[in-house]
Amino acid sequence: MSIDKEIVEDFVNESKSLIEELIDLLESIEGDFSQVQKLADYGNNVDRIMGGAKSLAMMAPPDHALHMISDYAALCKAVGYKASQINDNEQFYDVCVALLLDATETLSVLLNNIEKEGKVLKETIPQAFIERLRWVSSQFSEAYSMSVGTGTAPQKLRQSEIDDLLKKLGL
């Protein structure tokens, strides 16, 4: 099973332009707690990268970087959506925005190295980031939803689901 290089290139180019938008968004709301709702927009946009990676990964071999990029984007999405629901903790909001900035820059690195195997890409994710992600995700109670405003009952992202995504990434 092989995947068309041109399709992957298109995905990477589209994702890179989304990443620029994501970084601009995060930088524009950094330190401004009144903008907390905009993290839902972050979640929606990173979801587009996740969806594209997931779709392409269906045509890719199991060790292809697309699988890892899809799971990594899912983590970013979960943190973005959950953080958009912070309503009384400005410092935690600041930590989440900083974490998402780092995460988005790492997502860019993953995309730049999409031709490498997932195992090799894993090494580009800093251990300090993983520890921060675990800490942040442990701060979210079950009351935080992993999606926002779809009109359906919100789906909760349990701590175990974040742990499962980390495990899938081999982290």
Side-chain angles (χ1 to χ4, degrees), residues 33 36 83-93 139 144:
F33 187 57
V36 67
S84 75
Q85 299 164 61
I86 297 169
N87 57 21
D88 61 353
N89 191 335
E90 204 166 325
Q91 286 83 14
F92 186 49
Y93 164 81
Q139 302 305 302
Y144 289 92

Side-chain angles (χ1 to χ4, degrees), residues 53 57-58 60-72 168-169:
M58 286 190 248
D63 60 346
H64 197 284
L66 282 163
H67 299 282
M68 182 172 184
I69 290 168
S70 163
D71 292 337
Y72 190 84
K168 244 175 114 176
L169 284 166

Side-chain angles (χ1 to χ4, degrees), residues 47 99 102 146:
D47 184 38
L99 178 78
D102 289 349
M146 71 182 251

Side-chain angles (χ1 to χ4, degrees), residues 5 8-9 26 29 48 52 55 57 66-67 74 77-78 87 99 113 116 119 127 137 148 161-162 166 168:
K5 274 196 180 314
V8 173
E9 277 177 33
L26 291 169
I29 67 172
R48 291 170 53 196
S55 296
L66 282 163
H67 299 282
K77 173 183 143 182
N87 57 21
L99 178 78
N113 293 286
K116 296 183 179 166
K119 295 191 286 262
Q127 189 60 42
S137 69
V148 289
E161 292 174 63
I162 289 177
L166 284 165
K168 244 175 114 176

Side-chain angles (χ1 to χ4, degrees), residues 33 36 39 79 82-100 132-141 144 159:
F33 187 57
V36 67
L39 287 171
V79 173
K82 284 182 162 226
S84 75
Q85 299 164 61
I86 297 169
N87 57 21
D88 61 353
N89 191 335
E90 204 166 325
Q91 286 83 14
F92 186 49
Y93 164 81
D94 291 338
V95 167
C96 289
V97 171
L99 178 78
L100 288 171
R132 281 174 50 214
L133 177 66
R134 284 206 168 103
W135 181 84
V136 163
S137 69
S138 75
Q139 302 305 302
F140 290 118
S141 70
Y144 289 92
Q159 179 61 39

